[in-house]
């Protein structure tokens, strides 16, 4: 997606920690000097993990976070 900042967090085992980290990254991003040129871009938060956890997926969706499942094999 053009002109969109993608922030990713990856965990082999799905955990709510990853959701919290993404929310913190989103909050800190606009104030990070290295990213000042992008501070006004919309942010897409993505949580990568190896298996679906329906409760975690629901929590992520409530926070505007997309969950992607990947295979490490």
């Amino acid at each position: 997606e053009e002109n969109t900042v993608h922030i990713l967090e990856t965990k082999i085992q799905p955990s709510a920690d990853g959701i919290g980290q993404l929310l913190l990254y989103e909050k800190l991003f606009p104030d990070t000097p290295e990213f000042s040129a992008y501070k006004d871009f919309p942010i897409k938060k993505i949580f990568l993990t190896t298996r679906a956890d329906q409760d975690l997926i629901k929590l992520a969706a409530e926070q505007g976070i997309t969950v992607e499942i990947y295979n490490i094999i």
Side-chain angles (χ1 to χ4, degrees), residues 15-67:
S15 71
D17 292 354
I19 303 300
Q21 286 174 298
L22 278 167
L23 295 173
L24 177 61
Y25 301 156
E26 178 183 39
K27 181 174 176 54
L28 296 175
F29 184 83
D31 297 323
T32 304
E34 294 85 355
F35 302 126
S36 63
Y38 310 102
K39 70 179 183 175
D40 295 322
F41 284 24
I43 294 174
K44 180 173 183 176
K45 300 176 297 290
I46 304 166
F47 181 63
L48 300 173
T49 190
T50 58
R51 61 185 165 81
D53 177 312
Q54 294 307 313
D55 292 327
L56 194 65
I57 291 170
K58 181 179 176 185
L59 175 65
E62 290 169 355
Q63 300 300 318
I65 298 170
T66 301
V67 176

